[in-house]
Amino acid sequence: MANALVSIQIIPKTANGEDTIPFVDEAIAVIEASGVKHQVNPLETTMEGELSELFKIIERMNEKMTEKGCPSVISQVKVFYKPDGASMDKLTEKYR
């Protein structure tokens, strides 16, 4: 059972002022490859899983940005941690 929700907004600095959207797409692809439950939203992506695993995914996302030529990356992260279970569906069910 998942014990955390982590929302991340990744803001890559591009080497030559390129559009950042293709880089953000690459970061989202890292999440998709991980297999964790996630939801892409306009300004951030929320993941559901074990907290330590989610932090490792964030690390891989940042590494991917530097592999793609970004000299630096800002990652804005929000964490909801609940040891007995965290669920995107549970937190938002009253709105759906």
Side-chain angles (χ1 to χ4, degrees), residues 1-69:
M1 173 184 287
N3 67 11
L5 304 177
V6 173
S7 292
I8 179 158
Q9 178 187 34
I10 198 156
I11 307 166
K13 179 177 180 171
T14 58
N16 299 305
E18 300 96 333
D19 181 15
T20 60
I21 296 302
F23 293 88
V24 172
D25 290 343
E26 291 279 345
I28 293 170
V30 170
I31 297 171
E32 291 172 345
S34 76
V36 299
K37 182 175 180 179
H38 66 284
Q39 179 174 318
V40 178
N41 296 299
L43 299 176
E44 65 188 11
T45 298
T46 301
M47 301 180 286
E48 179 178 304
E50 294 299 310
L51 186 60
S52 60
E53 178 185 12
L54 300 179
F55 281 144
K56 287 176 188 172
I57 294 167
I58 292 170
E59 183 177 24
R60 288 196 303 270
M61 293 168 73
N62 280 272
E63 290 168 348
K64 175 62 86 173
M65 295 301 93
T66 58
E67 289 169 13
K68 292 290 182 180

